[in-house]
Amino acid sequence: MSSVVVVGAGLSGLAAACHLIGQGHEVTVVERHHTAGGRGLRLQREGFTFDTGPTVMTMPDLVDDALRQVDTTLADLLPMTLLDPAYRARFADGSEIMVRHGVEAMREEISRTCGSVDAAAFVDFTTWLRQLYRVEMPHFIDANFDSPLDLMASPGAAAKLLRLGGFRRLGPVIREWFADERLHRLFSFQALYAGLSPEKALALYAVITYMDSIEGVWFPQGGMDAVPAAMATAVAKAGGELRYNATVERFALDRRGAVAGVVLDDGEQLRADAVVCTLDLPTAYDRLLPQLKAPRVVRNGDYSPSAVVWHIGAKGQPAPGTSHHNIHFGDDWNGAFRALIDDKQLMPDPSRLVTVPTVTDPGLAPAGDSVLYVLEPVPNLTAGIDWDRERGPMRERLETFLDANGYPTEVVADEFVTPADWERMGMHQGTPFALAHTFLQTGPFRPNNVDRRVPGLVFAGSGTVPGVGVPMVLVSGKLAARRVADYLPDGGRRRVGSVAAQGGRHGIFTRALGGRR
């Protein structure tokens, strides 16, 4: 049986571990924190529970897919609640649109708020979204690439994506579907997840709209932290080893440069036939592979904007009508994107996300109180903003906004996260959203999940394929496991004569290159 070390117990690492165990490998997951969760570690203060990572859960079938590799299911481990509405969208004029689950329910909502013409268009719009998803998912998302030529492996799918308008710009496409400007924003704001404005994002990223507006948004019982906790439980039950409070100091390489395991910061060596690394890619190269020059797109690519996130435990309840997820759209939509992305300035009229998980699970706070997650997009650290100085004014603006919109503001416990904090957590340029999804940073043009200079090393996470977001990083773990399967066929016997064959089955710890700087 071959052995594989997975560096990081976030969603991508745990997904990789599940798929690797399903392939028959012996798996050890190494995590520097005290528990699983990666970027989504849980904080508990003064009786309030905060999920510090992603708050929007879509496509839970991808979690189920990973769990089934270790002979369990999502239903066995983790009850989930479908959120309906998925979002409450509130606009600058005071109007609201609820993103309802199901085509008919959403059609009725659009008819009520925007009129019958847009309601009728929505039905056809959902058909278009499904077509996009069915083309993209198997051929361009759930797929490893070795070069741009791999796009031609499915010429029919590429041609269909072209016919569907996937390579046009998202903003103009959405405007062709709907007359009401509010719907333009509601069905294109997801471009920001890809690090772009709707005017610059490819229309194929409407697949993100499909994931939340059509497939639905879910909330795991006990909070988002329950997802990695359940996956870690499944990994352990299936025989995987989870090593917490353990930091990888460097990769160990054999005589020919193939990965042979990892060395921990206490000097312990963990031998492995392959290693899956889930660190942010620039951080992985800087800390663990300093002897190698990172790929050009990793070094010089366009990175996404960042975000300020304020986790709040507050006395009292929000105003009636508040949903689990609430999007407050600013008035100057295009101007805000120009400021954020083109000019790298704070948005003069920002749109913000306020998640109130206690609407669904009151047990996350003391009785009668609330947990708030407040997110405002901001430029990444290349903008040169001094966050030591800006932290206070930003907090004051957010508090004023919350108070004006009916959210409780008597803060009992909180955590305020800026781009400077993201950088300290190991995220390049202070953004948790990695490389922007421009055309030349998408699919086969995105940093590869293997580096041919280090056979046996595979990457997973938002910095590599397929990209950013909970569904994408879950898929990235699956794709990493496929790479390992190709590298260690037949239960770990490397192919004789291939690059992967260099160094023997376990490799020899004659070189342990790299180190923290």
Side-chain angles (χ1 to χ4, degrees):
M1 179 183 292
S2 58
S3 60
V4 183
V5 168
V6 177
V7 182
L11 293 177
S12 63
L14 292 168
C18 288
H19 287 279
L20 289 165
I21 291 171
Q23 293 171 7
H25 302 290
E26 190 177 80
V27 174
T28 300
V29 181
V30 180
E31 170 57 51
R32 65 189 177 98
H33 294 108
H34 68 281
T35 189
R39 299 179 185 181
L41 285 179
R42 170 162 288 188
L43 292 178
Q44 292 182 319
R45 294 179 182 170
E46 305 296 332
F48 295 90
T49 299
F50 306 119
D51 285 320
T52 63
T55 64
V56 179
M57 181 73 210
T58 61
M59 307 298 287
D61 58 299
L62 295 174
V63 179
D64 191 63
D65 179 41
L67 293 176
R68 288 181 181 276
Q69 308 308 307
V70 288
D71 298 322
T72 189
T73 68
L74 191 63
D76 293 335
L77 292 181
L78 186 58
M80 287 201 178
T81 299
L82 176 66
L83 300 180
D84 191 5
Y87 300 98
R88 174 180 68 123
R90 185 170 177 83
F91 300 88
D93 62 2
S95 64
E96 294 184 350
I97 300 175
M98 302 294 178
V99 177
R100 300 295 310 280
H101 180 68
V103 174
E104 182 56 27
M106 191 61 199
R107 187 199 66 77
E108 291 179 1
E109 177 71 6
I110 293 175
S111 179
R112 181 183 68 82
T113 57
C114 306
S116 60
V117 174
D118 278 344
F122 177 73
V123 177
D124 293 333
F125 177 64
T126 60
T127 299
W128 177 70
L129 289 178
R130 285 195 178 93
Q131 290 175 323
L132 276 180
Y133 178 78
R134 288 170 181 166
V135 173
E136 289 181 52
M137 190 63 178
H139 299 291
F140 305 110
I141 296 175
D142 190 10
N144 281 315
F145 296 98
D146 291 313
S147 83
L149 294 176
D150 288 346
L151 287 172
M152 299 314 298
S154 304
K160 185 170 184 180
L161 190 58
L162 183 64
R163 289 196 303 272
L164 289 169
F167 296 104
R168 296 179 60 200
R169 299 301 171 182
L170 179 61
V173 168
I174 296 298
R175 288 195 291 274
E176 288 180 4
W177 281 106
F178 302 105
D180 196 302
E181 183 188 4
R182 294 172 298 172
L183 296 179
H184 301 164
R185 301 183 182 192
L186 194 59
F187 295 130
S188 69
F189 80 88
Q190 296 87 350
L192 191 54
Y193 297 155
L196 301 167
S197 75
E199 298 306 305
K200 294 183 178 179
L202 296 176
L204 57 86
Y205 284 110
V207 71
I208 307 173
T209 306
Y210 170 84
M211 290 176 179
D212 58 22
S213 298
I214 307 301
E215 287 293 323
V217 176
W218 301 76
F219 185 69
Q221 183 174 301
M224 289 293 289
D225 176 72
V227 178
M231 297 177 74
T233 296
V235 167
K237 186 177 179 180
E241 182 182 3
L242 292 116
R243 299 280 300 272
Y244 296 121
N245 298 309
T247 299
V248 174
E249 181 73 17
R250 57 189 181 271
F251 298 128
L253 308 180
D254 67 19
R255 293 189 185 94
R256 296 181 180 270
V259 74
V262 299
V263 180
L264 305 184
D265 58 358
D266 63 1
E268 182 181 2
Q269 298 179 352
L270 302 180
R271 297 179 181 274
D273 297 289
V275 172
V276 175
C277 178
T278 68
L279 275 66
D280 197 33
L281 277 187
T283 301
Y285 277 96
D286 182 59
R287 294 185 181 179
L288 304 179
L289 291 166
Q291 77 279 10
L292 296 182
K293 193 172 185 178
R296 182 200 58 79
V297 68
V298 174
R299 291 180 282 113
N300 302 320
D302 293 326
Y303 281 79
S304 295
S306 185
V308 162
V309 176
W310 192 10
H311 305 279
I312 303 172
K315 288 284 188 184
Q317 296 284 313
T322 299
S323 295
H324 188 114
H325 295 298
N326 306 269
I327 303 174
H328 295 260
F329 287 103
D331 188 34
D332 186 6
W333 180 245
N334 291 326
F337 277 107
R338 281 196 300 271
L340 176 67
I341 297 175
D342 297 335
D343 301 332
K344 294 190 176 183
Q345 299 175 354
L346 295 176
M347 294 186 292
D349 185 18
S351 297
R352 299 173 171 118
L353 168 68
V354 182
T355 293
V356 190
T358 42
V359 167
T360 306
D361 188 351
L364 298 174
D369 294 343
S370 301
V371 169
L372 309 179
Y373 171 105
V374 187
L375 182 149
E376 178 176 326
V378 299
N380 62 41
L381 290 178
T382 60
I385 296 172
D386 183 345
W387 283 103
D388 288 335
R389 296 181 59 182
E390 187 58 41
R391 179 185 296 264
M394 173 67 77
R395 179 175 172 138
E396 290 176 6
R397 290 194 297 271
L398 289 176
E399 185 172 2
T400 299
F401 154 76
L402 290 171
D403 186 60
N405 284 277
Y407 296 101
T409 55
E410 186 180 344
V411 178
V412 178
D414 73 317
E415 180 81 4
F416 198 87
V417 185
T418 73
D421 298 310
W422 297 122
E423 184 184 46
R424 282 190 284 270
M425 297 178 204
M427 298 172 206
H428 189 58
Q429 294 186 7
T431 174
F433 306 116
L435 286 160
H437 285 264
T438 62
F439 177 75
L440 292 179
Q441 295 179 171
T442 293
F445 304 108
R446 201 162 180 82
N448 208 324
N449 56 0
V450 290
D451 189 319
R452 300 301 180 187
R453 295 170 295 178
V454 189
L457 175 62
V458 183
F459 297 109
S462 59
T464 184
V465 290
V468 178
V470 171
M472 299 300 120
V473 298
L474 289 166
V475 173
S476 80
K478 180 180 181 181
L479 295 179
R482 286 184 191 163
R483 290 291 197 184
V484 173
D486 290 340
Y487 180 66
L488 300 173
D490 302 324
R493 294 172 181 251
R494 300 183 184 182
R495 288 168 288 182
V496 176
S498 69
V499 173
Q502 299 172 358
R505 183 173 184 273
H506 285 287
I508 303 171
F509 280 78
T510 56
R511 290 198 298 159
L513 298 181
R516 309 188 85 159
R517 294 189 290 179

